[in-house]
Amino acid sequence: MIFFRRGGAAPRTHTVLLLLIAVLTFVVPVSAQEGSGVVRVALTNRVDELTTLNPLLCGDELCRRVTDLMFSSFLHVDPETGQYAPAGADTTALVTDWTISDDATVYTFTVRDDLQWSDGTPVSAIDAVYSLRAATNPDLDSRYYRGIFEDIIVSITAPDERTVQVTFAEPTCRGLFWLDIPVLSALAIDPTPGFLVDDEYDYTTLVRNPYSINPVTSGDYVIDEIRLPEFVRLNAVDSEQVYEFVYISGDLTEMEALYRDRIDYITNVGDIENVAEYAANDVTVSDGPWSGVYALAMNLADPFNPRPFDTDDEDGQGIHPVFGDARVREAVSLGVNVDEMIDRAWFGYGTPVSTLAVPGTWYANDDLTTNVYDYDRARQLLNEAGWRDTNNNGVLECRTCETAPEGTLLRVRLLNPNENVRRNAVVFVVAQQLRRLGFEVDVIGASPNSQDYDMAVVFYDPGYPYDPESTFATFATERDEPNEFDSNFTSYSNPRVDELLQQASTDLCADPDAQAAAYAKVQRILAEDMPIVPLFAPHRLHAASNRVRNFDPYPEDPLWNLTGWVVTNVEVRP
């Protein structure tokens, strides 16, 4: 048995700058390879910034992009559903099946027996256990480490060469997300495997081992050459396809590099305002909804005296002078024009949503319908709630409203928590639309976690693979703690939602369909109570030269079929 240890003294330094790269050999292809030609993608940072080829220690985007193609992952993600799925013969992931105990504390994984490392050694559960223990070691400073591991992981063991078992201290459905890491060849790192028997193994060898210059891999590609500062070249294991990361200096944009055939595709096109030019330059553009959703969050508690959910104050958390009235929240939902936001802020590349889940996502409640913009009905609701423009200056005041003193202006602070070009554009349009409704709006940059705000434009991103708990857990009553990271900053509380979230996060781990049903119920209740107004899911755009065949990206996984791409009329540079 191999046991997880809680100590260790591995240094927190990464390996020195990569100077030599040897051409790797391989024994058998690790997955079906049907692609051919040379695929080139741009690098905006210099190749000599690549400091390691150890995927657990990657500290920069270049390292992550390179090693993602070279190393097998522990778990496979179905690009169509965004869910974890058993690894098939056409993938390089390790786990073919798993079970979760009834109490959601023990995860048992079956590791496939048909993968080999590039040095010919079979991939086994030993490699997976070594990599998982390393990634969850606090002293290694892995990019996969999370502070919660110290308290929640009890053991990581290999009962046999095809089984990995992870035991948690308490029930959790997040085990798959925590264990989603690349897998290293344990014996290539330490030929004398003390980690198999020594509970005090310190993983020092992982930092200084030859992975830095000559990694043993089991992914779709192996290192062919690194030429400073020009490119990193990978070879497909069947030698039919070459993949190059090409350094593009600052005087050339990715779009220009694509037009000039310096590169073959762009992942996550940033200049969406110029997409019309792509078609005129023999470029194919694919777009679809991002995993994340923009929403307008409203504070339901007293913003002048933020308090936690368990406060002993006689009036509890108080009530928001504007959004404490559900009619005002409904007026906001009807009075913001989402189509206008998409057109003006995202150049038409967005999908209206009815919930904080992208339509078609495995846990989305697709029975909910998006609100239809209705300015007149919104103004009527505000009037019914006692907010009226008695002096005809365009700003409503409290006249018989139930939540604020008589004469109070309908004035709100609209937060823009993370400023960037696109979010700024969304906030600008939202502010204009609220002003048309009769709000006086002050736009400020701050975090809603302080809970001293009125409204906020928030981007809920479940990540990829899609993790609904990361989104909906923020509506749990117990998360309502001012100034805490990722808190329930709307101060929303509903016992039924709390119950459903508890079930989805601890009781239904082994049944994704039941999990999805619980989250669907949460979404329906949120749609009725309206602590937030879902707006739209922006699109991710990917572009490729028409010389690339089989380019068929998913928004969150554009390279899912990379090994099947065929690129014509390109030769490997000498």
Side-chain angles (χ1 to χ4, degrees):
M1 301 285 281
I2 303 169
F3 296 95
F4 175 79
R5 68 168 195 88
R6 295 183 180 273
R12 292 178 177 270
T13 56
H14 286 184
T15 50
V16 294
L17 181 67
L18 182 151
L19 297 176
L20 281 195
I21 296 295
V23 178
L24 297 178
T25 59
F26 54 88
V27 178
V28 295
V30 295
S31 65
Q33 302 274 343
E34 299 176 354
S36 62
V38 181
V39 182
R40 294 187 172 120
V41 62
L43 291 178
T44 54
N45 50 336
R46 291 168 57 91
V47 172
D48 51 14
E49 294 179 18
L50 179 62
T51 56
T52 180
L53 289 177
N54 185 328
L56 296 184
L57 297 181
C58 282
D60 56 80
E61 181 185 5
L62 174 57
C63 172
R64 291 193 291 270
R65 292 173 68 184
V66 172
T67 57
D68 280 352
L69 301 179
M70 296 169 57
F71 290 90
S72 297
S73 60
F74 185 58
L75 296 165
H76 171 63
V77 180
D78 184 331
E80 185 171 359
T81 65
Q83 285 180 277
Y84 289 108
D90 58 344
T91 73
T92 60
L94 268 67
V95 173
T96 58
D97 191 20
W98 64 87
T99 60
I100 302 174
S101 63
D102 291 340
D103 64 356
T105 61
V106 180
Y107 287 61
T108 304
F109 302 91
T110 301
V111 175
R112 62 198 295 180
D113 59 4
D114 61 343
L115 284 183
Q116 288 186 342
W117 296 102
S118 56
D119 65 356
T121 307
V123 178
S124 75
I126 302 301
D127 301 303
V129 167
Y130 177 84
S131 302
L132 288 167
R133 290 181 60 190
T136 55
N137 185 316
D139 298 320
L140 187 63
D141 199 20
S142 169
R143 69 184 177 105
Y144 293 95
Y145 178 77
R146 306 175 188 220
I148 195 175
F149 288 162
E150 284 289 280
D151 297 321
I152 200 166
I153 296 181
V154 175
S155 65
I156 301 176
T157 67
D160 56 59
E161 289 192 351
R162 296 294 157 221
T163 307
V164 174
Q165 193 166 85
V166 181
T167 301
F168 295 99
E170 60 187 53
T172 180
C173 293
R174 298 183 68 85
L176 299 181
F177 298 96
W178 289 334
L179 304 175
D180 185 10
I181 67 165
V183 177
L184 309 179
S185 173
L187 299 184
I189 297 171
D190 187 354
T192 58
F195 62 88
L196 293 176
V197 294
D198 184 2
D199 194 44
E200 297 302 316
Y201 187 80
D202 65 7
Y203 297 93
T204 302
T205 53
L206 180 56
V207 178
R208 64 172 185 246
N209 83 90
Y211 267 80
S212 308
I213 58 175
N214 191 11
V216 175
T217 66
S218 62
D220 286 312
Y221 297 86
V222 293
I223 284 286
D224 178 49
E225 181 183 358
I226 292 184
R227 185 178 301 176
L228 305 180
E230 300 176 57
F231 63 85
V232 178
R233 178 184 294 156
L234 307 180
N235 261 350
V237 294
D238 64 0
S239 299
E240 294 297 319
Q241 189 185 68
V242 173
Y243 189 94
E244 284 190 354
F245 296 90
V246 182
Y247 172 61
I248 302 295
S249 61
D251 59 350
L252 192 66
T253 67
E254 280 193 297
M255 183 172 66
E256 292 168 336
L258 187 63
Y259 294 165
R260 299 182 189 183
D261 292 337
R262 292 280 303 279
I263 60 175
D264 299 296
Y265 79 97
I266 300 173
T267 295
N268 198 12
V269 174
D271 56 337
I272 60 175
E273 64 273 20
N274 298 318
V275 167
E277 297 181 27
Y278 282 74
N281 286 272
D282 294 326
V283 172
T284 299
V285 177
S286 171
D287 75 284
W290 198 349
S291 63
V293 168
Y294 278 109
L296 194 54
M298 292 170 281
N299 191 353
L300 305 184
D302 180 359
F304 305 107
N305 183 19
R307 287 158 282 180
F309 74 96
D310 56 356
T311 178
D312 293 329
D313 290 357
E314 186 175 341
D315 66 339
Q317 294 178 292
I319 188 169
H320 194 280
V322 174
F323 301 115
D325 191 324
R327 291 170 296 184
V328 177
R329 302 198 297 273
E330 184 179 359
V332 170
S333 72
L334 295 172
V336 290
N337 188 331
V338 174
D339 289 334
E340 181 185 17
M341 292 179 205
I342 294 172
D343 288 340
R344 293 178 58 190
W346 277 83
F347 298 91
Y349 293 103
T351 296
V353 295
S354 57
T355 177
L356 299 180
V358 174
T361 306
W362 67 272
Y363 57 88
N365 187 336
D366 290 331
D367 291 335
L368 297 176
T369 57
T370 57
N371 286 326
V372 177
Y373 174 59
D374 190 339
Y375 174 85
D376 292 336
R377 176 56 180 158
R379 286 296 295 252
Q380 180 182 348
L381 283 167
L382 290 172
N383 182 71
E384 292 173 2
W387 295 93
R388 304 180 183 111
D389 184 8
T390 56
N391 58 10
N392 296 315
N393 67 349
V395 179
L396 304 183
E397 313 100 35
C398 174
R399 303 298 179 194
T400 71
C401 73
E402 300 175 1
T403 54
E406 188 77 5
T408 300
L409 292 178
L410 188 60
R411 181 177 184 178
V412 295
R413 292 159 297 166
L414 176 62
L415 298 193
N416 183 6
N418 302 103
E419 293 190 23
N420 58 55
V421 173
R422 295 283 168 252
R423 189 189 294 263
N424 289 348
V426 174
V427 171
F428 179 80
V429 177
V430 169
Q432 281 191 327
Q433 294 178 354
L434 290 172
R435 291 180 183 121
R436 289 202 296 262
L437 275 178
F439 285 80
E440 183 176 308
V441 182
D442 296 325
V443 177
I444 59 176
S447 168
N449 288 326
S450 63
Q451 299 191 13
D452 59 356
Y453 76 106
D454 301 312
M455 309 177 76
V457 173
V458 183
F459 189 70
Y460 288 89
D461 188 354
Y464 185 83
Y466 302 139
D467 178 11
E469 186 174 343
S470 67
T471 294
F472 295 108
T474 57
F475 295 96
T477 301
E478 65 179 14
R479 295 278 286 272
D480 186 2
E481 296 278 353
N483 298 310
E484 291 294 322
F485 174 75
D486 212 18
S487 67
N488 175 357
F489 50 79
T490 62
S491 292
Y492 173 76
S493 179
N494 184 308
R496 178 54 176 157
V497 167
D498 292 338
E499 179 185 3
L500 290 166
L501 291 175
Q502 177 67 26
Q503 292 174 359
S505 64
T506 60
D507 301 339
L508 305 174
C509 308
D511 189 346
D513 291 338
Q515 257 190 316
Y519 282 120
K521 292 176 183 177
V522 169
Q523 291 163 64
R524 178 166 293 282
I525 297 172
L526 290 176
E528 295 168 352
D529 293 346
M530 284 184 292
I532 47 92
V533 176
L535 300 174
F536 68 97
H539 288 189
R540 280 196 190 275
L541 281 69
H542 308 288
S545 163
N546 287 340
R547 293 182 295 101
V548 179
R549 298 204 305 270
N550 300 333
F551 177 68
D552 185 26
Y554 287 96
E556 293 290 345
D557 193 356
L559 305 183
W560 71 278
N561 67 334
L562 174 61
T563 56
W565 291 12
V566 175
V567 185
T568 58
N569 303 321
V570 174
E571 297 179 358
V572 179
R573 72 187 84 195

